[in-house]
Amino acid sequence: MERKIKKNSIGMFDIHKGIVMILIVCIHSIYIAEKCTPGFQYPLFVRGLMKTSSCGLALLFLISGYSFRPSPWKKSFFQQARNLLKPYAYSRAAAVCLLCIKNIVSGHPVFSTDILSTAAGFLLAASSNMTVGGIQISSIQVLWYLIAMFNSWLLLELFMKLGGGGKTAAAVLLCCAAGMALGWTDIRFPFCIPQSMCCTAFLYCGWLLKKHKLLFKDYSVKIYGVCLAVYCVGTLVGDAKFYENIWKLWILELAIVLAGSFLAIEAGFFLFDCSSAFWSPFLTIGRYSLWVMCLHAIDMLVFQWEWVFRLPLPGIYAKYAVLLVLRGLFIFLGCIVLKNWNMRWKGKKR
């Protein structure tokens, strides 16, 4: 079968990223539905969809690793700070401002406990809710991805100083194993430290895909069949959860998720056609995936969507559909505002 994506073209992974972004929003919405309707038995398809979250996140790190280029550590620090920490800071400011406006409209104190908890969570980049010195710290939700990407990118830059060969591979593997071990201690670390250590391995594997030209090769059907079998069986037995840094099968889980991610990339190269109108929305979402991620984080931090499941609608699936539409509208409108603001800012700079 002929591959439909041009090798090493700009945006060759945009449709992949777009699908992952939609998947993330759908899964997070399922979690709200599950919370609001205890005891409801979801179909097997929905439970399978929730199991794919680890593969989707690994895919994002693999794609980023594919574009990794070793550079001076200082240069890499400032470059990634601009690409990742800057959107993180903007998202933090937007979330806190929206929460203040929400309190003013609802008649609550402007600087309530929720505001302080959210601000403290952003300062510590807390990946989960915790209490430090009697102060409640709120999770930064999906924005953990930006912090983990920033940290893991710099870790990989550091390990590349070893030559990029066997020593680098050993350092990455030890770093990943140490991150998994920290997760077993059940200590909630700030700045997404354990997650960053684990995700360094996925960045490194993405770099290996490019270095050894493992994509765009003609593999036999058996190779794809083995990858599918490994991922399916491993997903049933294992339980990889990046956000909570849970690795039920430890390093074996790494191989399982990598098999699924490689299969997803290869399948995309055969199925996706960038010139087709059908894939156009996914292409656009993937192109602005960082904005989508940040807007979805603001949505999770500011809005309480439980009220949707108290609406007099016929069944949980109708309520779930309404939630998806509302979240999609918020992200869509946010992207339009950001795009216009970005264009005006570039115009002023010119």
Side-chain angles (χ1 to χ4, degrees), residues 255-268:
I256 292 166
V257 176
L258 281 172
S261 302
F262 174 75
L263 187 65
I265 291 176
E266 286 286 301

Side-chain angles (χ1 to χ4, degrees), residues 158-331:
L158 184 65
F159 296 147
M160 282 297 179
K161 306 303 179 189
L162 299 174
K167 292 181 179 179
T168 296
V172 169
L173 191 62
L174 286 173
C175 180
C176 182
M180 292 177 177
L182 288 177
W184 278 85
T185 61
D186 200 29
I187 298 174
R188 299 179 179 183
F189 291 87
F191 308 112
C192 308
I193 294 172
Q195 292 92 333
S196 304
M197 296 172 73
C198 294
C199 291
T200 304
F202 293 101
L203 268 182
Y204 177 66
C205 289
W207 178 77
L208 289 176
L209 288 177
K210 180 72 174 286
K211 180 185 177 184
H212 297 290
K213 302 178 181 178
L214 298 178
L215 300 181
F216 299 100
K217 284 188 176 182
D218 293 325
Y219 295 101
S220 66
V221 177
K222 290 182 180 179
I223 298 295
Y224 297 126
V226 169
C227 287
L228 180 61
V230 168
Y231 178 68
C232 290
V233 174
T235 301
L236 292 173
V237 178
D239 187 24
K241 294 181 180 178
F242 285 45
Y243 180 78
E244 299 174 5
N245 195 42
I246 293 175
W247 306 87
K248 187 176 180 181
L249 304 178
W250 282 62
I251 296 297
L252 187 59
E253 199 104 65
L254 180 70
I256 292 166
V257 176
L258 281 172
S261 302
F262 174 75
L263 187 65
I265 291 176
E266 286 286 301
F269 287 157
F270 284 114
L271 298 176
F272 304 154
D273 185 359
C274 296
S275 62
S276 171
F278 176 81
W279 295 109
S280 181
F282 300 94
L283 191 67
T284 303
I285 293 171
R287 192 169 295 151
Y288 299 107
S289 58
L290 187 60
W291 292 6
V292 172
M293 182 77 77
C294 292
L295 287 165
H296 181 47
I298 295 170
D299 148 45
M300 295 179 72
L301 288 163
V302 175
F303 300 106
Q304 302 295 325
W305 295 108
E306 285 81 359
W307 60 270
V308 173
F309 293 89
R310 293 194 291 269
L311 294 174
L313 295 174
I316 185 173
Y317 295 109
K319 299 174 183 178
Y320 177 73
V322 170
L323 174 58
L324 285 181
V325 169
L326 291 174
R327 280 188 146 165
L329 281 173
F330 174 79
I331 293 171

Side-chain angles (χ1 to χ4, degrees), residues 129-146:
N129 295 330
M130 63 181 75
T131 303
V132 178
I135 300 174
Q136 182 67 33
I137 309 296
S138 295
S139 167
I140 57 174
Q141 302 294 341
V142 74
L143 286 175
W144 75 269
Y145 167 80
L146 299 183

Side-chain angles (χ1 to χ4, degrees), residues 100-121:
C100 289
I101 294 171
K102 183 180 176 183
N103 285 344
I104 292 171
V105 172
S106 59
H108 292 92
V110 178
F111 298 105
S112 62
T113 305
D114 291 342
I115 300 285
L116 298 176
S117 297
T118 302

